[in-house]
Amino acid sequence: MHTVYWEDGKVKMIDQRLLPAEFTIAEFDSVEGVARSIREMYVRGAPAIGAAAAYAMALAGFHSQATDRESLLADLRAAKATLDAARPTAVNLAWATARLLEVIEQSALTDMDAIRTALLAEAEALANEDVEINRRMGYHGAAVIPDGANVIHHCNTGGLATVDFGTALGVIFACHEQGKKIHVWVDETRPRLQGARLTAWELMQAKIPMHLIADNAAGYLMYSGKVDAVLFGADRVAANGDVANKIGTYKLAVVAQENGIPVYCVAPTSTVDLSLESGDQIPIEERGPEEVTQIGDRPIAPEGVPVYNPAFDITPHRYLTGIVTEEGVCYPPFTQSLRDAVTLGQTHMEERRQARHIGEGA
Ligand code: MRU
């Protein structure tokens, strides 16, 4: 099933805060509600929050009281600002809201109902394309993972972090589908435990061999020759290939290089931000102290302890063997290979849009 979807005029999503203990669908019928769901991480993972925000832009259209195109566009711009502010690091959020806004700005539509229909159609297209893109990315990535590999994976990059199938975990699913024997070391991923709660849950459902490990075990496993490749996703990739991803990614990549282990980031071209030259320009989200001082609701640190909780880190491009995208695997120099992949990604997105319009007209 899709992690986030539109039904009965509402945005519905798997409440990831409750997994694996409870599987619950949460629903939101306002832009503010969806922005809160992103901030509070009911929905998380760069592509999944992009899709949620795209559906929220459709909600903005349906709830707008505007009676003319310019007023409706003003409401959409306000919705975009609210949604983009929900989480700062994953660029897919602002990419998705920009895509929804642009589809109306670039059209000549003036009828309110036609604009609303076009917004929802674009959100649905974005969500469906995410699944198709992830599958392509998964198979490009699987080509660089040998049969019998022991792979270490950070955070959650599976179906839950996307609309379906996943990015780095998608590569693992693709290897499994191809019959490759693969074993996954699953980083628990403190502080929010996306690895322990979500990745372990997804891999167990898919019956893929795995072991959950404490984050601090990763270095020892690499040193001991128990890891053949490192796989992770991205929340934003700068033009030079520097990657912002879940806190702890940098440490993994450095230790992998020290031990001669290949490191692959897996991310769709919508996660590449060519407007930023390097990772130093990527905003890093800081989250609340309770994520560090508590496990679930249980306190594990003295009350009032000062906490610093950056949610992401930057892995400089020199630690990456390759960046897997839906357009193929990018290799150094990333400045050129990423630009080529993004250009191809945009061309393919435009082709899919044209095909949809021909289909609608037929
Ligand atoms: O804070 P989160 O759980 O939203 O962080 C998610 C990650 O860091 C993922 O690795 C990233 O979004 C890529 S997953 C498709």
Side-chain angles (χ1 to χ4, degrees):
M1 77 175 281
H2 285 187
T3 299
V4 53
Y5 54 98
W6 177 275
E7 195 176 68
D8 301 331
K10 293 181 183 146
V11 183
K12 300 194 178 180
M13 59 184 70
I14 299 172
D15 185 345
Q16 299 191 39
R17 301 166 315 156
L18 308 178
L19 284 170
E22 257 179 64
F23 185 94
T24 304
I25 301 298
E27 48 183 64
F28 297 90
D29 62 3
S30 68
V31 170
E32 290 68 25
V34 178
R36 182 170 67 80
S37 78
I38 294 170
R39 211 166 33 245
E40 296 180 4
M41 295 175 70
Y42 287 67
V43 61
R44 43 138 309 276
I49 63 180
Y55 283 126
M57 291 292 281
L59 268 184
F62 281 100
H63 290 209
S64 170
Q65 304 293 314
T67 52
D68 63 89
R69 176 186 160 88
E70 279 317 308
S71 312
L72 185 47
L73 275 171
D75 287 346
L76 291 178
R77 290 188 190 108
K80 174 173 170 43
T82 301
L83 292 159
D84 290 358
R87 292 192 75 189
T89 304
V91 73
N92 303 62
L93 181 51
W95 170 85
T97 54
R99 175 169 161 176
L100 269 280
L101 185 59
E102 277 163 23
V103 83
I104 305 305
E105 282 175 342
Q106 288 166 10
S107 79
L109 294 172
T110 50
D111 176 73
M112 296 299 106
D113 284 341
I115 293 179
R116 291 180 180 116
T117 305
L119 282 166
L120 182 55
E122 192 68 19
E124 293 283 24
L126 184 148
N128 292 329
E129 282 168 22
D130 182 64
V131 185
E132 183 210 317
I133 280 171
N134 293 339
R135 285 198 164 270
R136 277 167 52 203
M137 205 157 51
Y139 286 95
H140 286 307
V144 300
I145 303 296
D147 193 8
N150 283 290
V151 172
I152 195 161
H153 174 275
H154 197 58
C155 196
N156 172 266
T157 66
L160 291 166
T162 59
V163 177
D164 201 0
F165 201 68
T167 58
L169 215 53
V171 171
I172 290 163
F173 292 140
C175 287
H176 185 65
E177 278 181 22
Q178 289 174 344
K180 282 184 181 165
K181 290 198 180 6
I182 188 158
H183 168 265
V184 189
W185 299 112
V186 177
D187 269 4
E188 60 177 345
T189 319
R190 275 285 287 153
R192 287 190 70 104
L193 298 169
Q194 289 94 328
R197 294 189 305 107
L198 308 175
T199 300
W201 185 73
E202 288 197 48
L203 287 173
M204 286 178 79
Q205 284 195 336
K207 298 193 174 15
I208 296 178
M210 54 150 287
H211 283 88
L212 178 63
I213 57 166
D215 294 332
N216 289 337
Y220 172 63
L221 292 181
M222 290 198 246
Y223 173 80
S224 314
K226 291 187 165 67
V227 179
D228 302 303
V230 176
L231 286 180
F232 49 78
D235 288 80
R236 198 184 297 221
V237 180
N240 68 348
D242 292 354
V243 168
N245 191 51
K246 181 52 56 193
I247 194 80
T249 304
Y250 171 53
K251 250 178 21 176
L252 270 187
V254 173
V255 179
Q257 190 172 86
E258 160 75 12
N259 289 281
I261 299 166
V263 175
Y264 292 98
C265 168
V266 186
T269 54
S270 54
T271 304
V272 181
D273 185 350
L274 292 180
S275 75
L276 303 184
E277 270 174 41
S278 81
D280 296 344
Q281 294 162 293
I282 300 176
I284 298 294
E285 176 183 10
E286 282 177 38
R287 296 190 62 87
E290 68 290 346
E291 290 187 350
V292 181
T293 58
Q294 292 173 201
I295 292 189
D297 292 334
R298 193 167 56 83
I300 55 160
E303 211 180 316
V305 66
V307 171
Y308 176 49
N309 183 21
F312 301 97
D313 61 23
I314 304 293
T315 300
H317 60 90
R318 65 179 176 280
Y319 293 106
L320 301 177
T321 309
I323 300 176
V324 181
T325 74
E326 76 275 20
E327 303 301 342
V329 184
C330 298
Y331 291 103
F334 291 115
T335 309
Q336 187 58 49
S337 57
L338 281 175
R339 190 169 293 277
D340 292 346
V342 169
T343 307
L344 262 180
Q346 282 165 350
T347 307
H348 288 146
M349 187 178 90
E350 201 40 54
E351 282 170 4
R352 285 190 296 265
R353 186 175 284 155
Q354 299 293 342
R356 265 197 339 267
H357 287 161
I358 292 166
E360 279 158 16

